[in-house]
Amino acid sequence: MTSHPYSFNGLGTHLGNLALLSPAQTRSISAENPTGAKGAGGRATEGTGAVVGRELGQGWKISPSIDIGGHETVTLADIEGPGCLQHLWLTVHPSWWRRLVLRMYWDDEDTPSVETPLGDFFANGWCERANVASMPIAVNPAGGFNSYWQMPFRQRARITIENLVGDVCQGFYYQATYALSWVPDDAAYFHAQWRRSAPLGRGEVHTLLDGVSGQGHYVGTYLAWQANNNGWWGEGEIKFHLDGDEWPTICGTGTEDYFGGAWNFEQPQGQYGVYSTPWLGLHQVIQPDGLYRMNQRFGMYRWHVPDPIRFSSDLRVTIQALGWGSERDGEGRYLPLRDDIASTAFWYQSEPHAPFPGLGGVDHLEVV
């Protein structure tokens, strides 16, 4: 590794190294400074705040947000490296959370390393606000999305947003904060992929990831799960197939167990116990309303930050949709389900990565 005058590059900060000096330079991109250049913030004379700021002029919140045209793809950030994206904040009306697609590209790659609907990346896939109090992802009132996933890059980082519909998305606010500094040779690249089974075929498993090739480590799962049957829906096991496994090396004991809960998430009796912790949670439960809301919907996350799942050459991740059926001869039975499951998987790996399967059209993404 190249010798540097500093022992610390300023990336991956925590309380143990926060006092260390480094050569890193902090920059931030927003609608007020779209290039992130030093001394270039707050200089806009036109923008979404120009009318309300007309009496104050330049420097007074003239360009706090952007509008995204119908079927338009905009570049939020285009950064020359080396460096690391450290914090991404944004907000937009919930009706856009499955109509906007977030993509991230590292080092001039042709296919994105991150490709998810906007809301699902922030563990809010149902287009209804739910707070998240975790370490990598924080969602705060009212719909403030925050990501603290560390995303190193060497030559270039590019972040885009695509509007999948013909309507104009108004009032998209964002800020991407990053550090410019040298990146260790063994630093992997951040990836996130979305998939949906709507509904899952009876007796089939939902695949979160498949075809991952290279060395890396799996760091997180978000599920937006709709139960299409009465009764308990979370008996299914999550399975991690590592490095050529025919049968999985890691096999969970049940859906609620994987997300750190137990016994149907039932606490108090007869209710789901909603919780959000630094690394895992059942942070969203959407109940039927007795009229037009026919199904229960759930949001769950688990971040494998203290316990990343490491692989050397390939990775496949699946989860079963398995319920608890009515009793026969005094004993219960498992019941394969046909639920609506959307997953976002998060991992780091060496490049190049295998192309993603694609999201499908807006009809496949939208919540109905």
Side-chain angles (χ1 to χ4, degrees):
M1 186 179 298
T2 304
S3 176
H4 297 278
Y6 295 91
S7 62
F8 178 49
N9 64 356
L11 310 182
T13 54
H14 52 78
L15 288 176
N17 62 18
L18 196 57
L20 297 179
L21 295 174
S22 83
Q25 301 175 40
T26 301
R27 298 290 183 263
S28 187
I29 286 176
S30 69
E32 291 279 11
N33 186 353
T35 67
K38 186 178 183 300
R43 300 177 64 179
T45 57
E46 296 182 357
T48 57
V51 173
V52 294
R54 61 189 179 277
E55 297 178 0
L56 298 174
Q58 189 178 28
W60 291 91
K61 204 171 182 178
I62 300 302
S63 182
S65 64
I66 62 172
D67 297 334
I68 305 174
H71 301 295
E72 181 184 9
T73 297
V74 300
T75 298
L76 297 185
D78 195 341
I79 307 166
E80 183 178 349
C84 181
L85 184 65
Q86 296 176 310
H87 177 228
L88 178 63
W89 168 88
L90 57 86
T91 190
V92 69
H93 192 274
S95 62
W96 288 97
W97 293 354
R98 280 278 179 90
R99 297 177 178 181
L100 298 176
V101 174
L102 174 68
R103 295 185 178 93
M104 300 184 188
Y105 303 79
W106 314 124
D107 298 353
D108 292 316
E109 61 187 357
D110 294 327
T111 62
S113 290
V114 172
E115 185 177 48
T116 80
L118 184 68
D120 294 73
F121 185 86
F122 296 93
N124 269 257
W126 290 119
C127 298
E128 296 188 23
R129 293 178 178 125
N131 292 342
V132 178
S134 79
M135 298 295 283
I137 295 293
V139 179
N140 304 318
F145 287 170
N146 297 268
S147 166
Y148 286 96
W149 292 112
Q150 298 293 289
M151 306 180 195
F153 52 93
R154 290 176 172 85
Q155 283 81 45
R156 185 185 183 196
R158 186 162 58 95
I159 305 172
T160 69
I161 293 285
E162 180 186 5
N163 180 355
L164 296 179
V165 299
D167 299 332
V168 176
C169 172
Q170 296 181 322
F172 186 94
Y173 296 78
Y174 68 97
Q175 188 153 17
T177 301
Y178 55 97
L180 298 175
S181 187
W182 54 275
V183 174
D185 295 341
D186 56 358
Y189 291 88
F190 181 79
H191 293 72
Q193 183 183 123
W194 184 87
R195 297 191 182 206
R196 186 181 190 183
S197 301
L200 187 67
R202 181 177 174 83
E204 298 179 0
V205 297
H206 173 74
T207 298
L208 289 79
L209 274 182
D210 196 7
V212 173
S213 178
Q215 182 180 3
H217 41 282
Y218 186 91
V219 296
T221 304
Y222 164 67
L223 292 183
W225 189 303
Q226 175 177 292
N228 290 335
N229 283 71
N230 292 330
W232 171 235
W233 47 272
E235 289 294 326
E237 299 171 334
I238 192 166
K239 295 181 171 67
F240 292 85
H241 297 253
L242 311 176
D243 304 329
D245 282 343
E246 178 181 1
W247 291 89
T249 294
I250 299 174
C251 183
T253 61
T255 304
E256 82 273 46
D257 307 334
Y258 172 70
F259 292 99
W263 300 114
N264 308 1
F265 297 121
E266 188 178 1
Q267 183 181 341
Q269 187 172 358
Q271 299 180 30
Y272 287 100
V274 176
Y275 62 98
S276 184
T277 76
W279 309 124
L280 33 76
L282 172 73
H283 62 290
Q284 188 170 35
V285 176
I286 302 174
Q287 300 282 7
D289 66 1
L291 186 60
Y292 297 126
R293 287 178 182 257
M294 308 301 292
N295 303 89
Q296 292 189 103
R297 291 171 168 173
F298 305 90
M300 300 162 280
Y301 65 88
R302 175 165 174 177
W303 312 135
H304 292 269
V305 175
D307 57 340
I309 297 175
R310 301 191 184 277
F311 55 95
S312 297
S313 60
D314 56 83
L315 173 68
R316 179 163 58 97
V317 186
T318 65
I319 193 168
Q320 299 164 329
L322 197 62
W324 188 251
S326 59
E327 293 188 353
R328 287 181 179 174
D329 302 324
E331 294 187 4
R333 60 190 175 97
Y334 293 137
L335 177 66
L337 302 176
R338 303 185 71 249
D339 287 350
D340 181 344
I341 305 172
S343 61
T344 306
F346 302 82
W347 76 101
Y348 289 89
Q349 73 160 89
S350 57
E351 292 285 6
H353 67 268
F356 291 5
L359 300 180
V362 67
D363 291 343
H364 183 59
L365 273 69
E366 279 201 295
V367 176
V368 295

